[in-house]
Amino acid sequence: MNHDRFRHLLGYIDSHLDEVLSLDVLAGKAAYSPFHFHRRFAALTGMGVHRYVQLSRFKRAAWQAAFRPDVSVTEMALQAGYESAEGFSRAFRQRLGASPAAFRGQPDWARWARTWQDLDQVRRFAMPLTHDHDDVRIIDFPETAVACLPHRGAPELIGETIRRFIAWRKENRLPPSRSSTWNIVYDDPDETPPDAYRMDLCCTCAEVAPNEQGVIAATIGAGRCAVLRHTGSDAQLGDSVRFLYGEWLSASGETPRDAPLFFKRVVFFPDVPVHEAVTEIYLPLAGVS
């Protein structure tokens, strides 16, 4: 099983989490012998295929519990392959320390972040992304008015800021389908002390009324930008950013402008399978627009 077939297999798992994903089914999708498939999968990922499928299902369920209050526990259970909400709730509690309902009310964000580390490692290291210089385009970005909720503190706690921002967007009838979603990224989470980390959650919005969530009016400045489309897990987003700052910037002769990196969240997990999530990375460049 080469890496291309393996990448295709991970995409199949992502897209079929609510279906039967037996060893025979997955070995067939990988065009590999069932007698050797599970060992080859473990050799490539560092975990068994059954655990990989379980973690993928629970990650989607936990995202739904945290950020999709319209999805019931019963729906989450069925999508995760459980016959009853009770059995699913027990398994959820074992992984995340609380039932889905309790987690929805008061998430343990630190435990949340730890739970997916092994799964994220598979994405980042077993199947590294590849980018080409032709993947980057240079545009003139227009000044854009946004509603902004600053996050200050450990990256692992950003889930709570996301929930507050979602609540504000719902109150103001600004869903992603009507108002583009942006992240302004001031710091590298791998290089910044957790309590000093800064990122702003934003959406396109002309005016912001006083509110309890702490959302403020702001702008993303106009200017030249290099844009790279990242498709896949956020676990690999840093690798795409490093390509842009490293290989592409070195070869391009361009100079970064004195403005922070920002992202446009085009399509997000869990609304689509993780391998289909799309984020556009904008690197502000010096020079005349």
Side-chain angles (χ1 to χ4, degrees):
M1 182 166 52
N2 61 30
H3 274 193
D4 286 339
R5 277 195 288 167
F6 188 64
R7 185 178 290 108
H8 174 76
L9 174 66
L10 294 185
Y12 179 84
I13 292 172
D14 291 341
S15 299
H16 296 81
L17 291 177
D18 51 355
E19 299 178 17
V20 174
L21 294 174
S22 66
L23 182 64
D24 286 344
V25 167
L26 295 178
K29 292 298 177 182
Y32 215 74
S33 164
F35 298 104
H36 307 293
F37 168 74
H38 63 291
R39 292 186 178 89
R40 180 61 172 156
F41 189 97
L44 288 171
T45 66
M47 72 171 70
V49 64
H50 180 64
R51 181 163 181 260
Y52 181 87
V53 170
Q54 278 191 323
L55 275 176
S56 296
R57 284 172 168 162
F58 268 95
K59 183 173 184 177
R60 182 179 65 176
W63 250 251
Q64 291 170 335
F67 305 121
R68 302 291 186 270
D70 55 315
V71 180
S72 70
V73 174
T74 299
E75 288 178 277
M76 284 187 271
L78 293 175
Q79 291 175 8
Y82 284 80
E83 295 182 358
S84 71
E86 291 76 15
F88 170 71
S89 293
R90 285 194 297 271
F92 193 100
R93 185 181 295 107
Q94 288 175 350
R95 291 195 181 277
L96 290 166
S99 69
F103 180 87
R104 180 168 269 166
Q106 190 173 4
D108 180 343
W109 295 113
R111 182 163 181 165
W112 157 289
R114 293 194 303 269
T115 299
W116 321 119
Q117 285 178 347
D118 290 346
L119 193 62
D120 290 345
Q121 292 290 82
V122 172
R123 285 287 173 189
R124 186 175 179 187
F125 295 111
M127 296 302 299
L129 288 177
T130 56
H131 288 297
D132 187 88
H133 290 224
D134 292 338
D135 295 337
V136 182
R137 56 195 173 96
I138 297 178
I139 67 163
D140 288 325
F141 185 82
E143 182 173 273
T144 301
V146 294
C148 170
L149 180 60
H151 173 80
R152 301 293 182 264
E156 67 183 20
L157 302 180
I158 200 168
E160 193 58 39
T161 308
I162 293 172
R163 278 159 59 106
R164 286 166 49 208
F165 194 53
I166 289 173
W168 180 87
R169 292 183 74 160
K170 286 183 176 180
E171 287 178 9
N172 290 271
R173 298 180 182 177
L174 290 171
S177 59
R178 289 183 52 200
S179 172
S180 297
T181 300
W182 307 89
N183 300 154
I184 302 175
V185 185
Y186 299 96
D187 301 304
D188 182 345
D190 295 330
E191 302 294 334
T192 307
D195 58 353
Y197 181 73
R198 302 167 298 157
M199 187 170 82
D200 293 344
L201 308 181
C202 307
C203 68
T204 305
C205 181
E207 297 181 2
V208 179
N211 59 88
E212 296 180 355
Q213 288 90 353
V215 177
I216 59 175
T219 58
I220 302 175
R224 295 174 69 245
C225 289
V227 185
L228 173 64
R229 174 167 281 220
H230 169 88
T231 302
S233 170
D234 269 16
Q236 296 166 291
L237 189 55
D239 298 327
S240 293
V241 170
R242 279 184 281 276
F243 166 81
L244 197 53
Y245 272 101
E247 291 184 38
W248 181 83
L249 202 58
S250 297
S252 70
E254 296 283 352
T255 301
R257 180 162 32 101
D258 186 19
L261 188 78
F262 59 99
F263 303 150
K264 181 180 182 180
R265 299 290 190 167
V266 181
V267 191
F268 3 72
F269 174 81
D271 296 336
V272 298
V274 66
H275 72 290
E276 295 179 5
V278 175
T279 301
E280 291 181 345
I281 305 168
Y282 288 75
L283 172 59
L285 299 175
V288 179
S289 296

